[in-house]
Amino acid sequence: MRLANYCAWRISSEGLGHMDIFAIFSDKIKNTLKEIYGEEILDNELLAKIAVEPPRSLAHGDISTNAAMVLSKNLRQNPREIATKITDYFKNDKNISSIEIVGPGFINFRLKNKIYHSLLSSILSLGENYGKVDMGQGERVNIEYVSTNPTGPIHVGHIRGAVFGDALASLMEFVGYDVVREYYVNDAGGQIDILAKSAFLRYRQALGEKIGEIEKGLYPGKYLVPIGQDLAVKFGDKLLTKPEKESLEIIKPIVLKAMLVLIKQDLAKLNIRHDIFFSEQSLHGKDGEIEKTLSWLREKGLVYQGKLEPPKGKLSDDWEDREQTLFRATKFGDDSDRALVKSDGSYTYFASDIAYHREKYLRGFNKQIVVLGADHSGYVKRLKAAVKAISDGKAELDVKICQLVRLLRDGKQVKMSKRSGELVSLAEIVDEVGPDAVRFIMLFRRNDAPLDFDFNLVKEMSRENPVFYVQYAYARSCSIFRTANRELPDLDLSIDALRRADISLLTIEEEIALIKLLSTWPRVLKAAAKTHEPHRIAFYLHELAAGFHGFWTRGKENPDLRFVNHNSLSVTLARMVLVRSVQQILGTGLRILGVSAPSELS
RNA sequence: GGCCCCGUAGCUCAGCUGGAUAGAGCAACGGACUUCUAAUCCGUAGGUCGUACGUUCGAAUCGUACCGGGGUCACCA
């Protein structure tokens, strides 16, 4: 029997609802192949190579597949022969207006408008759920991002990773993963002692002491001044009478807590919130996770005493050739084995990190994502090695590296001096340009490519600024509804009325082209989630905005093409369905990126 | 020297994990406003995808080797 089940149009391999016509078509083609050649010949590997996608050029139709070429070798048949057999099965499909076999064996399908009409009505009724594929099926994912040292406010170097991680988390959530957003607090190392000392100095200052220039090696930032004052209020001069070591132990947890408050405030400015702040300190101590992890690794024979080759190239001055406790990272793909214990006997950062990732694994996260800055790219291999080791290869870790951000003002690079401690802070940037612009710009580039952040451009409200370009499209869609209500007060524009609209009135090329653009949204979402690349969403939104603005301006040249059409209420209503759908997707996409969708721009 | 990322239009970047004639924006040039907010749109011009081999029906995409740019390189975090 032929594949004449047109109900299949509404069903895809991934369930009802998301209405991805490419996925639906893919299923149809693969089922057809099974019917023609039998399931035996078509293993999954082969099927996976079959692409069913929108062709680059409109001249090649609406949907294109390479199926015939992919199968040609296994079937020992000419691709065009195979293509002919496939197309025979689709000849009577009422949704297809033409099929061509071209070039080496591409099959190009052209679809009838009614498919797009049916898609549009699905989009309207699915609302926010359009494109929502259940890829994750509730699988738990742990996404760790920001994780800056709790020694001061967040500065420009961390913003990108913060925004990226947050948007990625929303994206994964959207496609059905159970996401936990986590921040690893490095509250255990020597930098915390320095922090405490720095705060102690500010405390003495608050008590009236002249502290002069801040000693090299301490944190000079002014953000510690209020902490010092708080300490003075709380303790008076009591901390001066104790041995300094004792006082520092008292100060440490207080200043640490204050720093986390500071960091959370900064993140909140960008609407970033974590579910868990995980303390590195909690892994230390007797019977702590680090010890447990190391003895677990020892049992597996993955820890040994040995010497490390000194690094090639220029030797660092303080290189000390000594035997040390090493983790057999090379066994899991790293270039070198890695030290677990420092020369002073305490654990290395890496040791606690192994324990941390094991702890995550034991909490049930087989899927982990860590977002790091470019300066940590050398750390990726050992991290992956660690996760492989502690999970017996069962957990999957993806490390996303965010490249550097270059700040530009008036075309010149903003210089930052780390020495003075006066780095450009997150707060300064967000206060100046607003959270939406910061977020969108950070996401409007692949994470592994360096990024220029141009203050002048980001604050500009023009087409050059992608943030406003997309937001304006959204605002414009709202504005059209306001106009329609004003000019045609008798027209019912409620959702129910839109659902009853006669969409088949949309037959103009521009209208169909816009619906075709809407039809790729599920693909974009899927690809973005699969590759952990939220920037794809940003680019899609930009493209959709362009298509929408384009159509809008056509109405300027030709009044018949205006959305609000006084000559025909039914055409107006049908076009309003289109406007509503564009609006919905823009809104959903912006929400995933964490950028607001204003209904009007003032 | 090892490892990781990047070399695509004059500039800034996309390119759906191997597809067809490689795409946007800026800048340049020529057009469209008694506005469904022109904060926008249309058109023209611009490229041996760093180089050379290799894998195959087919490479910007995968592999190898170079060239150029950035990051990183016991013990810090």
Side-chain angles (χ1 to χ4, degrees):
Chain A
M1 177 185 145
R2 296 224 158 166
L3 258 186
N5 178 11
Y6 295 117
C7 295
W9 279 107
R10 313 200 116 252
I11 300 167
S12 85
S13 60
E14 285 163 89
L16 282 164
H18 75 282
M19 192 74 194
D20 176 348
I21 59 173
F22 301 96
I24 293 168
F25 226 92
S26 178
D27 286 354
K28 284 188 84 161
I29 288 170
K30 286 173 186 175
N31 286 333
T32 305
L33 291 171
K34 282 178 190 163
E35 212 169 308
I36 301 175
Y37 297 107
E39 305 230 2
E40 316 77 54
I41 307 170
L42 307 164
D43 55 84
N44 287 334
E45 202 182 327
L46 202 59
L47 286 176
K49 287 171 86 173
I50 296 176
V52 177
E53 56 196 4
R56 222 196 311 257
S57 161
L58 279 175
H60 296 133
D62 299 320
I63 293 186
S64 173
T65 182
N66 59 358
M69 290 176 294
V70 170
L71 295 183
S72 151
K73 202 170 189 180
N74 281 44
L75 296 172
R76 299 181 170 211
Q77 280 183 46
N78 184 307
R80 294 190 76 107
E81 253 174 66
I82 300 170
T84 308
K85 281 189 185 159
I86 297 171
T87 53
D88 279 348
Y89 269 70
F90 287 91
K91 265 186 184 150
N92 298 318
D93 194 313
K94 286 175 188 154
N95 294 299
I96 294 172
S97 60
S98 75
I99 313 177
E100 295 174 322
I101 301 170
V102 247
F106 287 104
I107 306 173
N108 294 337
F109 300 88
R110 230 169 273 272
L111 305 182
K112 289 189 177 158
N113 284 351
K114 62 187 234 186
I115 281 296
Y116 292 109
H117 295 147
S118 131
L119 172 69
L120 188 60
S121 81
S122 293
I123 295 174
L124 185 71
S125 56
L126 289 167
E128 285 255 306
N129 289 323
Y130 169 58
K132 197 171 207 166
V133 202
D134 191 8
M135 286 171 75
Q137 305 191 322
E139 188 183 359
R140 304 187 70 202
V141 190
N142 186 291
I143 306 184
E144 182 207 327
Y145 57 106
V146 190
S147 298
T148 67
N149 282 337
T151 55
I154 298 193
H155 62 80
V156 61
H158 304 117
I159 298 181
R160 193 175 184 184
V163 171
F164 177 88
D166 191 62
L168 178 60
S170 303
L171 171 61
M172 298 300 275
E173 233 158 40
F174 192 78
V175 298
Y177 286 94
D178 181 4
V179 177
V180 166
R181 300 154 189 249
E182 193 149 324
Y183 186 123
Y184 184 51
V185 185
N186 300 131
D187 53 5
Q191 82 279 2
I192 298 303
D193 297 326
I194 296 173
L195 177 69
K197 276 185 199 159
S198 310
F200 187 63
L201 191 66
R202 294 298 188 180
Y203 161 72
R204 279 164 39 201
Q205 184 184 31
L207 290 175
E209 198 174 316
K210 286 227 165 70
I211 59 168
E213 193 150 320
I214 288 169
E215 189 185 326
K216 217 175 171 186
L218 294 186
Y219 295 110
K222 294 209 167 59
Y223 55 87
L224 287 173
V225 172
I227 311 287
Q229 287 163 352
D230 288 350
L231 288 170
V233 170
K234 188 164 180 190
F235 294 101
D237 59 359
K238 261 167 50 188
L239 294 178
L240 291 176
T241 58
K242 294 178 196 288
E244 183 167 313
K245 209 177 169 190
E246 216 172 288
S247 298
L248 289 177
E249 283 308 309
I250 295 171
I251 289 177
K252 209 189 272 187
I254 297 172
V255 65
L256 206 51
K257 200 175 166 194
M259 289 301 104
L260 280 176
V261 168
L262 214 59
I263 287 168
K264 285 178 192 177
Q265 277 170 359
D266 279 348
L267 290 174
K269 281 179 181 280
L270 280 171
N271 300 316
I272 295 171
R273 280 174 191 82
H274 290 81
D275 300 310
I276 293 178
F277 281 77
F278 191 96
S279 157
E280 180 190 356
Q281 187 60 55
S282 71
L283 299 165
H284 285 74
K286 269 177 219 153
D287 301 324
E289 283 301 322
I290 299 180
E291 291 199 350
K292 280 187 199 160
T293 299
L294 292 196
S295 61
W296 187 88
L297 288 172
R298 268 195 196 94
E299 268 170 48
K300 293 264 173 183
L302 297 173
V303 176
Y304 69 102
Q305 296 297 120
K307 280 189 177 181
L308 234 37
E309 295 263 322
K312 297 252 161 64
K314 48 183 173 182
L315 269 167
S316 65
D317 313 333
D318 51 355
W319 169 262
E320 183 188 332
D321 192 28
R322 67 178 181 93
E323 183 152 287
Q324 49 189 340
T325 310
L326 299 169
F327 165 61
R328 230 177 263 284
T330 47
K331 201 180 164 190
F332 303 94
D334 199 358
D335 308 311
S336 162
D337 289 338
R338 304 292 173 180
L340 295 170
V341 180
K342 293 191 245 177
S343 48
D344 68 358
S346 61
Y347 293 118
T348 62
Y349 177 77
F350 184 53
S352 53
D353 225 1
I354 301 176
Y356 174 47
H357 282 86
R358 177 161 172 274
E359 202 278 342
K360 283 197 234 184
Y361 176 64
L362 295 177
R363 262 190 280 152
F365 294 107
N366 281 16
K367 203 171 166 63
Q368 305 182 4
I369 301 174
V370 175
V371 181
L372 296 176
D375 52 339
H376 285 71
S377 52
Y379 201 68
V380 176
K381 278 194 181 180
R382 81 186 71 165
L383 215 48
K384 288 193 169 183
V387 170
K388 246 184 235 169
I390 54 92
S391 70
D392 288 319
K394 286 184 201 121
E396 170 201 329
L397 171 72
D398 188 16
V399 181
K400 304 301 281 187
I401 296 288
C402 288
Q403 284 296 330
L404 297 172
V405 176
R406 215 161 48 121
L407 291 183
L408 299 173
R409 198 185 284 280
D410 303 323
K412 281 182 222 145
Q413 188 168 356
V414 180
K415 293 279 178 198
M416 289 173 291
S417 95
K418 203 164 188 173
R419 253 171 292 124
S420 67
E422 299 298 323
L423 292 164
V424 179
S425 70
L426 176 147
E428 283 174 71
I429 294 181
V430 177
D431 288 346
E432 181 171 345
V433 306
D436 286 343
V438 171
R439 291 190 63 119
F440 199 91
I441 296 294
M442 294 287 168
L443 293 168
F444 199 58
R445 180 121 318 168
R446 262 173 45 203
N447 61 287
D448 50 8
L451 177 136
D452 286 348
F453 189 92
D454 185 332
F455 278 98
N456 305 62
L457 175 63
V458 169
K459 288 197 291 186
E460 199 175 307
M461 287 186 173
S462 76
R463 114 149 269 176
E464 289 167 55
N465 184 343
V467 191
F468 283 95
Y469 188 74
V470 173
Q471 285 186 324
Y472 180 45
Y474 184 87
R476 178 170 262 176
S477 73
C478 297
S479 160
I480 291 166
F481 268 88
R482 288 192 293 268
T483 306
N485 276 320
R486 190 176 60 241
E487 292 185 5
L488 304 169
D490 297 333
L491 186 62
D492 182 1
L493 292 171
S494 66
I495 278 286
D496 282 340
L498 292 176
R499 287 205 177 119
R500 289 192 301 270
D502 182 5
I503 298 175
S504 67
L505 294 170
L506 302 174
T507 53
I508 300 168
E509 201 184 326
E510 285 88 345
E511 292 165 337
I512 299 297
L514 202 47
I515 303 174
K516 285 180 184 173
L517 205 45
L518 302 181
S519 77
T520 58
W521 169 237
R523 288 174 57 78
V524 172
L525 263 174
K526 256 186 277 187
K530 192 177 165 193
T531 56
H532 303 158
E533 289 178 351
H535 77 271
R536 291 171 190 252
I537 308 267
F539 276 97
Y540 173 80
L541 295 181
H542 193 259
E543 198 183 337
L544 180 56
F548 183 61
H549 285 312
F551 191 15
W552 191 92
T553 313
R554 296 283 281 118
K556 194 140 257 324
E557 296 148 10
N558 178 359
D560 287 342
L561 291 178
R562 288 163 61 122
F563 291 107
V564 181
N565 189 322
H566 289 257
N567 298 326
S568 168
L569 291 184
S570 48
V571 166
T572 299
L573 196 61
R575 288 197 180 140
M576 294 314 273
V577 174
L578 193 50
V579 176
R580 176 68 80 202
S581 300
V582 170
Q583 184 183 93
Q584 251 166 28
I585 297 176
L586 288 174
T588 306
L590 286 171
R591 194 166 53 74
I592 291 172
L593 301 184
V595 176
S596 72
S599 62
E600 54 188 317
L601 300 179
S602 49

